[in-house]
């Protein structure tokens, strides 16, 4: 059976839950039982009689009489065939109900509301006979879907072993015997069995695992943990663990999603940790093991060699055990007082329960380990065996923030990770007591994607180097006018900034991630952000320069002011955005992604500080190009402005080509964020992103007529110089005594020019 801990990815859809005997979830997320379809079309009287049959089957005295009674009652309501169908459905329900916790009570939980199902409609139904509470349903996609469930069988009357004494106690206290408040129960537990809490454990362990029972047991555990008790011994811890083990069962995971109070799972974790904090360990170590909770404790001293707590636990009845280990080295133990105690608790299913009840979109991929340490002990090493063995999915070390009620990466740092295991270094505190590892939802470890990225970046870098070399080679020939100078200044800076960004991108790929190279990742990410923004802002500066030339033909500014303005836009604006981004997000560790040296998206949406300006510039540039083209069409061929406007339009062509390409590239970048599992989006984005340098070389340099003309001139000049250099040795050999002053002047040969 697939582990529910690794497969829980969405509320009400828990792969692995069917294997526990809970039924097959339907589209709404609650179980769909065989035979229930025959019941859904019957009248309310039919339902009532069927419940009489289901309840009566529990008594041996009624088994022989029930079907006869049911048939007689239904004789005036339904045909005989229909009655046989109902009896058969009841027998099927009996067989299925006996195989799962809660028995036939689960059958009633699948009833839908009577009436028309309209979008947004809500309804509430009483729980089936034998239980108390109600069930809430909502109409979703024209179906009634259960959204909450408070059905329970436990209350202050039946949870204790000796009912006669319990009734007498509650009557003396003036409390209704059916009052199920856990505060009342906890008070009674501390009165009746303060030494071992055993007066309620057996009834709790035998109770059906209904959402209402789970909520009541968790609240009871919470109230016991907050009771003024300081001397918790091993007997109390065993009883407490057995109650917690009952609600931590892997077959309960779906039922947690129907508990109205979403924080119930958080309360459970905090309560267990709080109660374990009161545990007193004397001479012998403590080892309390249940199926779904395992507690170890030991005394340590400052001169101990080190401490190791190793757990092997299964996430369900059929899976193999996974390992979790807590290591405390000798150097750390030297900081503790002379005699201290360490308590460790392992939970195999709590990660999936937290995920299901809080509707978290994360996947816990190891045991949840809670550690209670002396105050002076600040650092531990945790070894997790992965439940789902995978090299393709990124692993994160996390601690549970009990105030924010979420997993947080600030509490731990990844030391080592493989497809089988993960080693974390964590810093326990009052805020962080429980730790585990998370598995990324989507990872596209495609070799095709890797090859495209690195080969494309190599081509892009080479193209940009060639572009800058050509610009340097023909700079004097193509920058004779002010417009040409400013235009090529923009092109050179676009190529230079993109070259720096690509080089830094490759440098960042050598870092294993923020976990091991955090400061380096922050620095590299800052400059990648800055230089990629500079590419777009220099494109904007070039477009604004063209717009200025069209709108203000007769009002030119000095060249120095224009150059300063271009540099302010091209480098000043990106610098301000990059500094503000790192300044706002870095103090809370929200600047970087968890798995790469790049801007964060999940927590702080820091990536928007790049995407929004870049796409805004794309839109502005396209608007500017539209204005320039419309302005050019208004100028006649005989006008004095015709030549200048024609030159500006020619300059605008490469912007009109490059801007959509750059915008399209990062448009697919956004698509990869929206649909992170799409390999096609990632491949298209990598192709476009890695080819930007090649686009600039082709459209901004090679296809430029002025540069082509200048290059031809350089080539002809090179041929002429080569021809002269070949003729000089021959001339000296024929006339060795001639003085250099009498040599023919070095003028271009007509044949060479030809």
């Amino acid at each position: 059976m697939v582990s529910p801990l690794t497969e829980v990815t969405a509320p009400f859809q828990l792969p692995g839950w069917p294997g526990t005997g809970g039924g097959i979830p339907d589209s709404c997320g609650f179980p769909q039982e065989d035979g229930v379809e025959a019941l859904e079309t019957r009248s309310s009287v039919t339902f009532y009689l069927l419940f009489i049959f289901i309840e009566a089957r529990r008594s041996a005295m009624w088994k022989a009489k029930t079907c006869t009674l049911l048939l007689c009652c239904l004789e005036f309501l339904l045909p005989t065939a229909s009655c046989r169908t109902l009896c058969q459905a009841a027998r099927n329900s009996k067989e299925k109900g006996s195989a799962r916790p809660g028995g036939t009570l689960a059958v009633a939980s699948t009833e839908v509301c009577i009436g028309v199902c309209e979008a947004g409609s809500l309804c509430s139904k009483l729980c089936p006979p034998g239980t108390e509470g109600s069930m809430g349903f909502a109409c979703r996609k024209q179906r009634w879907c259960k959204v909450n469930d408070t059905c329970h069988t436990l209350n202050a009357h039946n949870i204790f072993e000796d009912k006669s004494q319990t009734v007498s106690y509650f009557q003396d206290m003036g409390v209704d015997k059916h009052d199920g408040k856990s505060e009342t129960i906890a008070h009674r537990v501390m009165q009746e069995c303060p030494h071992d809490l055993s007066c309620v454990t057996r009834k709790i362990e035998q109770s059906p695992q209904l959402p209402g029972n789970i909520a009541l047991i968790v609240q009871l555990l919470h109230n016991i943990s907050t009771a003024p008790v300081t001397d918790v011994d091993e007997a109390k811890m065993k009883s407490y663990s057995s109650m917690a083990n009952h609600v931590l069962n892997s077959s309960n995971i779906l039922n947690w999603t129907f508990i109205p109070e979403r924080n119930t799972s958080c309360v459970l974790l905090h309560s267990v940790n709080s109660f374990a904090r009161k545990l007193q360990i004397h001479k012998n170590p403590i080892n309390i093991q249940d199926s779904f909770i395992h507690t170890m404790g030991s005394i340590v001293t400052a001169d101990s060699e080190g401490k190791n707590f190793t757990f092997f636990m299964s996430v369900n009845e059929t899976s193999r055990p996974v390992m979790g280990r807590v290591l405390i080295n000798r150097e750390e133990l030297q900081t503790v007082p002379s005699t201290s105690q360490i308590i460790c608790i392992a939970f195999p299913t709590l990660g999936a329960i937290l995920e299901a009840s809080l509707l978290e979109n994360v996947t816990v991929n190891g045991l949840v380990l809670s550690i209670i340490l002396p105050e002076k002990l600040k650092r531990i090493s945790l070894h997790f065996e992965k439940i789902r063995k995978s090299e393709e999915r990124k692993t994160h070390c996390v601690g549970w923030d009990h105030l924010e009620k979420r997993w947080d990466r600030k509490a731990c740092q990844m030391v080592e990770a493989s497809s089988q295991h993960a080693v974390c270094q964590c810093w326990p505190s009052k805020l962080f007591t429980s730790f585990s590892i998370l598995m990324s939802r989507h990872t596209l470890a495609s070799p095709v994607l890797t090859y495209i990225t690195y080969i494309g970046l190599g081509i892009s870098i080479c193209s940009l180097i060639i572009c800058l070399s050509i610009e340097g080679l023909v700079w004097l020939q193509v920058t004779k006018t002010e417009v040409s100078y400013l235009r090529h200044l923009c092109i050179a800076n676009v190529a230079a900034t993109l070259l720096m960004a690509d080089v830094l991108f490759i440098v960042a790929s050598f870092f294993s991630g923020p976990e091991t190279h955090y400061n380096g990742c922050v620095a590299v990410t800052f400059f990648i952000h800055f230089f990629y923004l500079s590419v777009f802002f220099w494109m904007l500066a070039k477009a604004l320069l063209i717009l200025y030339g069209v709108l203000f033909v007769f009002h030119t500014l000095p060249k120095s002011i224009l150059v300063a303005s271009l540099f302010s836009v091209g480098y000043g604006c990106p610098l301000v955005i990059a500094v503000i981004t790192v300044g706002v997000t870095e103090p809370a560790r929200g600047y970087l992604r968890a798995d790469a040296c790049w801007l964060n998206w999940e927590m702080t949406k820091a990536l928007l500080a790049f995407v929004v300006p870049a796409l805004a510039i794309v839109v502005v540039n396209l608007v500017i190009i539209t204005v320039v083209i419309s302005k050019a069409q208004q100028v006649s061929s005989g006008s004095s402005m015709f030549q200048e406007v024609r030159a500006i339009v020619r300059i605008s062509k490469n912007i009109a080509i490059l801007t959509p390409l750059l915008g399209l590239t990062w448009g697919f970048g956004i698509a990869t964020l929206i649909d992170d599992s799409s390999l096609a989006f990632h491949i298209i984005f990598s192709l476009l992103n890695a080819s930007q340098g090649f686009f600039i070389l082709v459209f901004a340099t090679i296809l430029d007529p002025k540069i082509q003309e200048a290059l031809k001139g350089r080539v002809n000049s090179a041929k002429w110089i080569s021809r002269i250099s070949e003729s000089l040795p021959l001339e000296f050999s024929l006339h060795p005594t001639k003085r250099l002053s009498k040599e023919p002047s070095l003028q271009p040969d007509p044949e060479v020019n030809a």
Side-chain angles (χ1 to χ4, degrees), residues 701-744:
T701 304
I702 294 178
L703 297 181
D704 188 290
K706 294 291 184 182
I707 292 180
Q708 292 177 357
E709 184 179 345
L711 286 175
K712 287 180 181 179
R714 298 285 297 186
V715 170
N716 290 336
S717 177
K719 288 182 179 179
W720 174 75
I721 293 174
S722 175
R723 181 71 175 272
I724 293 298
S725 62
E726 291 176 359
S727 65
L728 284 177
L730 178 62
E731 193 72 22
F732 275 108
S733 64
L734 294 176
H735 307 283
T737 59
K738 278 190 174 183
R739 297 177 60 86
L740 288 176
S741 59
K742 297 183 179 180
E743 290 179 0

Side-chain angles (χ1 to χ4, degrees), residues 282-294:
H282 300 290
K283 183 180 295 185
N284 298 323
I286 287 179
N287 188 351
I288 304 171
Q289 184 170 7
D290 291 289
S291 299
F292 302 101
I293 179 173
H294 187 181

